[in-house]
Each structure stands twice: as structure tokens, then as C-alpha cells.
């Protein structure tokens, strides 16, 4: 759904609009679960690490949700917490996708060139990585060290408080690009677009490692 939200060339635009809700406005889970997960992962009460922790998330997506918080050391941070039970849901969904891919491959000759089984295997592989926030943190750290392009801001990761299920990083205040398009003039839009393209080109051509999830969320 998140992939298709960005592909009006493949599906009708009204479907894209509906799938956009999966990018950062999925129904959030209860703060009691957030507290339980954070404390279990850190092995201590939240109050020992955070001086404040907003109960209402600032964004919620399919794998996790993000809360604004303040560390005891004073830094304002974004805390990404994985959804409870998401691994079991993922495994069930993958089993269903494998079954559908095998059936499609078996019964529809015209689908064979699309290699459905390989597509599901690839989806399974990168989604398993997505469920381990240490992998994401490592990627953020890579760009934090490398990307010094003016106008591009990469958050700092707080490794002491980051685990497979929670990711704590520097809070960067900003706007969803779609929400502020009307506020920007032509020159500003051009400058922002150029910065994004320049950064992505450097990632691909210089670092050989690039951000593959550039959605507006």
C-alpha cells in the first residue's frame, strides 16, 4: 500500500490518495503499550531516561509510531516505537503473499515474466530489516557522517537508547512537503527540488548507498 501510494502511473489516483493514509497517519496504538515496550527494551523506567515524553504520537505508520520526548540530558528527541505484535502480522501476510505468488505463477502463464515469487522473497527480506530498528539507525548514522550538503539535515542517533524495537534520534521540526507546497514560490520549490536531487545523486554516485523510501510522509 505504501509503495502504491507513490505510483499514480500504475493505479488510479483515487487509490493513491487512499493508500497515502498508510504513510504516516495509520491509527496509533495505546500509550500504555508504548510505555511497556520502551521500558522492556531499555530495562528501566521511562522516567530514568526521559524528563518528558508526549503521550500523543506525532506520526503513526504501519510498522511503528513516533513520539516527541526530552532526554534527561536535555536533548529533544524523536522516539520511534515498533507496533506490538507486528512481527506475527508480518509473518502471516508474507505467508499469504507467498501462497498467492505460487498460485499466480502456476495458473497464469502471462504472469511468469513478472517473477512474482522472487518479488515476494525480496519484499520479505527488506521488510525483515525494517523490523530491526538497529539497521535503520546504522543507515541514519552513515548519512549523518557523510552528508554535509548545505540545506540537508540528518538527525543524530542516540545509540544508548536505541534497540531493535525503539529508535531514538534528534528531533527535527518540519512539515509534510504536501502541506506547505502552496506556501512556497516557484524559486523556493526549485531550490528544494534541486537540493533533494543533488543529495540523492551524491548518495547513488559517491556513497553507493541511497535513501530508497523518499515519500512525502
Amino acid at each position: 500500500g505504501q509503495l502504491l501510494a507513490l505510483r499514480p502511473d500504475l493505479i488510479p489516483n483515487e487509490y493513491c490518495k487512499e493508500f497515502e493514509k498508510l504513510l504516516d497517519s495509520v491509527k496509533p496504538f495505546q500509550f500504555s503499550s508504548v510505555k511497556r515496550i520502551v521500558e522492556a527494551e531499555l530495562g528501566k523506567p521511562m522516567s530514568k531516561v526521559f524528563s518528558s515524553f508526549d503521550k500523543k504520537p506525532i506520526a503513526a505508520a504501519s510498522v511503528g509510531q513516533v513520539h516527541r520526548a526530552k532526554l534527561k540530558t536535555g536533548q529533544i528527541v524523536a522516539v520511534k516505537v515498533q507496533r506490538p505484535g507486528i512481527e506475527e502480522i508480518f509473518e502471516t501476510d508474507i505467508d499469504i503473499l507467498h501462497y498467492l505468488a505460487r498460485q499466480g505463477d502456476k495458473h497464469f502463464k502471462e504472469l511468469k515474466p513478472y517473477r512474482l515469487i522472487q518479488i515476494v522473497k525480496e519484499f520479505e527480506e527488506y521488510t525483515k530489516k525494517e523490523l530491526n530498528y538497529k539497521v535503520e539507525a546504522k543507515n541514519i548514522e552513515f548519512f549523518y557522517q557523510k552528508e554535509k550538503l548545505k540545506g540537508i539535515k540528518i538527525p543524530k542517533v542516540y545509540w544508548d537508547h536505541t534497540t531493535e524495537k525503539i529508535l531514538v534520534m534528534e528531533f527535527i521540526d518540519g512539515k509534510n512537503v504536501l502541506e506547505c507546497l502552496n506556501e512556497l514560490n516557484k524559486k523556493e520549490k526549485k531550490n528544494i527540488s534541486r537540493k533533494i536531487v543533488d543529495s540523492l545523486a551524491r548518495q547513488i554516485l559517491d556513497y553507493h548507498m541511497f535513501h530508497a523510501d523518499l515519500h512525502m510522509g
Side-chain angles (χ1 to χ4, degrees), residues 138-150 152-154 195-212:
K138 205 163 100 177
N139 291 336
I140 295 169
E141 180 73 20
F142 176 87
F143 291 117
Y144 179 78
Q145 297 293 341
K146 287 276 188 184
E147 188 54 276
K148 306 301 181 188
L149 201 64
K150 191 177 179 183
I152 300 287
K153 174 75 173 169
I154 311 293
K195 282 173 186 172
I196 293 169
V197 172
D198 284 350
S199 178
L200 191 57
R202 280 159 59 91
Q203 290 168 35
I204 295 168
L205 300 174
D206 293 343
Y207 315 147
H208 306 229
M209 181 173 170
F210 59 92
H211 195 309

Side-chain angles (χ1 to χ4, degrees), residues 55-73:
K55 290 187 176 182
K56 186 179 177 182
I58 50 177
S62 52
V63 174
Q65 64 190 37
V66 181
H67 293 258
R68 190 177 187 271
K70 186 177 183 181
L71 292 173
K72 283 281 191 181
T73 46

